[in-house]
Amino acid sequence: MNKAPDLRTFAGKLRELSQMNRLAAEVQRAGEEARRRAMAEVPVSTGATKRSAYVQYRTQTTVNGVPYQAVSRVGFSAPWANILESGAKPHLIKAVNTPMLSFFWEKAARWVEFKQVNHPGFAPRPYLGPAGLAAFRDMSSRILRTIQGILRR
């Protein structure tokens, strides 16, 4: 029995796995790049939002062990992160579990107390969307070059 076809098939599968791993690595790299770019653009100065940045990366594989889906999910776990990205409409804030709201009001240059306040809202300040789009564009061009290199062989 001739074993040569089995070795060629095995070598082909190894090459396929190697190329798929390169493509999956590009997806992981894009996720890290999007997180880095978004952290640089977060529109707050305290650092709490930046520290809440995360990347989740996963692949799903075929029976042969070759990745066919690679996903990088980038986000911020701070509860207010989405509000910074999408903005807020004017809204009423009422004291809950305390008789008064207490905060330093820069306009009055002192600490103040109110039962409720009318928050004026604020415009969206996108940072995650643009960072993700830029990272996706960079990743797409790198993956295209990788695929072109594979096809030339």
Side-chain angles (χ1 to χ4, degrees):
M1 180 176 214
N2 188 354
K3 296 286 183 185
D6 291 337
L7 289 176
R8 276 194 290 264
T9 302
F10 180 70
K13 290 294 180 190
L14 282 178
R15 281 192 299 277
E16 181 182 338
L17 178 60
S18 172
Q19 299 309 322
M20 293 304 289
N21 282 339
R22 284 178 54 196
L23 297 174
E26 287 298 338
V27 173
Q28 188 172 13
R29 178 178 168 188
E32 289 296 333
E33 180 65 17
R35 182 183 64 82
R36 186 191 62 74
R37 289 179 181 191
M39 287 175 64
E41 298 298 323
V42 170
V44 293
S45 60
T46 65
T49 307
K50 288 181 183 185
R51 286 190 301 275
S52 77
Y54 65 87
V55 177
Q56 294 174 336
Y57 174 74
R58 68 178 167 82
T59 59
Q60 293 180 351
T61 56
T62 66
V63 175
N64 296 331
V66 177
Y68 68 87
Q69 182 183 43
V71 178
S72 282
R73 181 174 180 217
V74 182
F76 289 80
S77 61
W80 56 85
N82 187 46
I83 297 169
L84 290 173
E85 179 89 7
S86 57
K89 294 180 180 180
H91 58 282
L92 183 66
I93 301 174
K94 292 183 178 182
V96 177
N97 298 327
T98 183
M100 304 289 270
L101 297 169
S102 178
F103 56 93
F104 187 81
W105 190 7
E106 289 184 20
K107 213 173 189 180
R110 63 184 176 90
W111 282 89
V112 294
E113 289 186 339
F114 296 101
K115 289 185 180 182
Q116 63 185 31
V117 295
N118 289 313
H119 190 285
F122 56 88
R125 296 181 274 178
Y127 57 96
L128 184 55
L133 184 58
F136 176 77
R137 287 180 180 149
D138 291 348
M139 175 195 68
S140 297
S141 64
R142 288 191 306 267
I143 285 177
L144 182 59
R145 285 192 302 272
T146 300
I147 291 172
Q148 288 169 339
I150 292 168
L151 295 176
R152 279 189 223 126
R153 294 179 185 166

